[in-house]
Amino acid sequence: MPRSYDPSALREVFEQRFTFIAGFRRNVDRYARRLALLDPSTGRRWTYAELGADVESLAGGLAARGVRPGDVVGFQLFNGPAFALTYLAAQRLGAIASPVNYRFSPGETAHVLDDSRPAAYLFDSTLAAGVSVALGIAAHRPALVVAVEPGSAGSAGDGAGTGTAEVEGAVSFVELASGGHRAPEGWEGTAWEESTRLYTSGTTGMPKGVPLPAVAEVLTAHDVIMHFPLGPEDRTLNMTPWFHRGGISPGGPNAVFYVGAAAVTMRQFDPDACLELVESEELTYLIGAPTNLALLADAHAARPRDL
């Protein structure tokens, strides 16, 4: 007769360790000195050890201001270090990282705030005027509102400026992330708990949240890793916004940080800048829509590079 076995040990390991954030923390140790993130606009580079330390600091700052496991951390941010840090720090706390389309109107943003009721909401300071209107319309106002100045996560700037001035009660990202706090241990969620919630379009009505459990984030990363294929030696640049599934997964923070590769950020698409980064940083993948590829081809035809 076949031997019987108790699957509880396997289930316990799977449920506790088969999460995206567990994979990222593994890479912080495994690839400590390998490049994880590059922000060409400031020249700032993060190794996995440095990125891990900044994630701990931001997660600690969020926890110190009341963010708890299961809370939603909403953010309307362009592709850049602050997006990557927020995406990782929320999951480090067992909270739900919720990227929101930064092109939404104030009414759509207000709808998202009332729909998801985030405990924390981070926004790019260039969106401050619309954010102020959205917060005035929404019935729910997050307890923590954070203005992210462009470049504030990649340089030594003070992070204060238009966002904190125009949005009442907003604190600066640098203030939140540099308070010297550390995230509590044991706050990461399980494989079955929601870890990401995407608010992308709304083209068929009001914006709708798409909830994803941690196991879905891991399996999505595995899908990209297998089919590109993507490995730790790769350097990627996704030319589309990270807030949607085709931005955050292939060549974005999801698959890249899970496999131990490097993500190069670009706040706004520029075909000439992309081609120059292929040369200078030896990028192995550019990910985008057909329009991006057509513009790259035109830029290369006008001024050929050594690719």
Side-chain angles (χ1 to χ4, degrees):
M1 297 180 60
R3 296 176 58 186
S4 61
Y5 68 95
D6 180 2
S8 59
L10 174 62
R11 184 181 302 118
E12 181 178 347
V13 171
F14 179 89
E15 291 180 350
Q16 296 299 322
R17 303 307 300 167
F18 205 68
T19 64
F20 171 80
I21 197 63
F24 168 72
R25 296 188 76 188
R26 170 199 64 202
N27 290 338
V28 168
D29 292 329
R30 179 183 291 177
Y31 302 125
R33 291 184 292 276
R34 189 186 293 273
L35 179 69
L37 182 65
L38 166 62
D39 179 20
S41 67
T42 62
R44 174 72 192 275
R45 296 168 179 265
W46 281 260
T47 64
Y48 268 90
E50 292 166 338
L51 185 61
D54 282 358
V55 167
E56 289 295 318
S57 182
L58 177 57
L62 290 168
R65 291 179 177 266
V67 176
R68 297 292 182 267
D71 285 345
V72 174
V73 177
F75 49 102
Q76 283 182 299
L77 300 173
F78 293 83
N79 295 10
F83 187 116
L85 289 167
T86 304
Y87 173 69
L88 294 165
Q91 295 185 66
R92 171 66 181 86
L93 292 177
I96 299 166
S98 183
V100 178
N101 187 337
Y102 53 71
R103 300 190 180 110
F104 280 164
S105 69
E108 290 172 315
T109 299
H111 172 79
V112 171
L113 293 174
D114 288 339
D115 185 59
S116 63
R117 302 184 65 82
Y121 166 60
L122 295 82
F123 65 94
D124 189 276
S125 65
T126 63
L127 307 174
V131 167
S132 183
V133 174
L135 290 169
I137 296 172
H140 172 79
R141 182 184 176 94
L144 176 61
V145 178
V146 183
V148 180
E149 292 292 318
S152 64
S155 66
D158 63 6
T162 56
T164 53
E166 291 185 37
V167 178
E168 182 180 358
V171 302
S172 76
F173 182 82
V174 170
E175 177 186 345
L176 176 69
S178 60
H181 301 285
R182 283 190 62 83
E185 290 297 332
W187 275 28
E188 297 173 23
T190 70
W192 309 119
E193 292 171 22
E194 184 182 0
S195 65
T196 306
R197 185 181 301 175
L198 302 178
Y199 282 92
T200 301
S201 62
T203 54
T204 57
M206 296 302 287
K208 305 169 186 66
V210 179
L212 297 165
V215 66
E217 288 283 75
V218 172
L219 293 174
T220 299
H222 278 236
D223 192 44
V224 173
I225 291 163
M226 288 187 292
H227 286 89
F228 266 44
L230 188 70
E233 69 284 352
D234 284 308
R235 296 186 177 190
T236 73
L237 191 156
N238 194 309
M239 300 175 285
T240 64
W242 281 353
F243 63 66
H244 72 103
R245 199 60 175 154
I248 202 169
S249 300
N254 169 263
V256 168
F257 295 147
Y258 193 80
V259 79
V264 179
T265 71
M266 181 166 284
R267 181 180 174 88
Q268 291 181 315
F269 172 67
D270 181 314
D272 287 303
C274 278
L275 295 175
E276 289 161 9
L277 286 166
V278 172
E279 278 192 305
S280 63
E281 299 298 331
E282 299 183 342
L283 302 185
T284 54
Y285 287 106
L286 293 176
I287 300 92
T291 51
N292 297 116
L293 304 181
L295 289 168
L296 286 177
D298 291 343
H300 183 61
R303 182 160 61 89
R305 281 84 163 176
D306 179 9
L307 304 182

